[in-house]
Amino acid sequence: MSLSTHALSVGYQRDVPVLHGLDLDFSRGQVTAILGANGCGKSTLFMTLLGILKPRSGEVRWQGTPLAYGKQALRELRQRVSMVFQDPDQQIFYTDVASDIAFSLRNLGMEESLIASRTEQALALVDGNALKSMPVQYLSHGQKKRVAIAGALVLEADMLLLDEPTAGLDPAGRRQMMALIKRISESGRRVVVSSHDIDFIYEVCDYLYVLSQGRLLAEGGRREVFLNPAMLEQAGLVQPWLVRLHTELGYPLYESEQAFFAAASPAHYPHASKQKEAV
Ligand SMILES: Nc1ncnc2c1ncn2[C@@H]1O[C@H](COP(=O)(O)OP(=O)(O)O)[C@@H](O)[C@H]1O
Ligand SMILES: [Mg+2]
């Protein structure tokens, strides 16, 4: 399973390209980040990956060959690579959760008993079994996002593209999304996440592409990308707070908040306990 771009340029109007000569390979990591400020081209990239937009030059390659834009080829691609839009209302069409999730399977003419078990599995993965019989209009934004993800998972695609999965989520919803992405990647699927939520991306992604105004500014593993504050600033971003603790205060570099709080007890950091007393 491989999806990549080669010298990919995309634009909406004739003379103003939005993406410039991108070489990206989504099989480098299990969870790949497209990291960049608002307007850098993340959603445009995702729409191009799925063949909704066509490149101006360069190409998207699927399984090593240039994407074909015929109806049948695109339908096959979209069964293997599923996208979840930033706004779940763009994706949810039915008034009840189960029908919405089953929609794409009914479209394929799948047998009802199989649809029911697939729907059940997809809902379990997003921790959404309690939502199954709920009317969509009563769901919170975060619950709708999970339903939209279940709708993408139900096809059992090999790759999931999540466009700004934490946008509009409260802290609990954000934590839940983090656990959900880990669960999906552990189930063997590759995930691509677009975001400017730097602390979220730091904990979730293992390979990163940083975009600035449609150009590739940097790529690499977490250390390569996050230990470069000047580059992040150029992209309109900042270092994750766990990385700042390391670079600015000399703490070890922790990979997650959980690891930090488990290790950083006042016994290890006497100055931390003094500060606590002073408060
Ligand atoms: N339908 C469109 N027509 C013209 N320009 C667009 C359209 N959609 C997005 N753009 C422009 O393309 C650039 C990248 O947008 P987008 O891909 O939405 O960025 P991001 O998702 O990173 O916020 C922006 O300058 C935006 O104004
Ligand atoms: Mg966007």
Side-chain angles (χ1 to χ4, degrees), residues 32-45:
T32 303
I34 300 297
L35 192 54
N38 284 337
C40 75
K42 302 182 291 297
S43 299
T44 303
L45 172 65

Side-chain angles (χ1 to χ4, degrees), residues 142-168:
Q143 289 170 328
K144 280 188 192 168
K145 281 209 146 171
R146 277 154 54 211
V147 168
I149 292 176
L153 286 170
V154 82
L155 282 170
E156 301 190 341
D158 310 294
M159 185 181 270
L160 199 60
L161 311 180
L162 301 176
D163 199 6
E164 306 225 18
T166 61

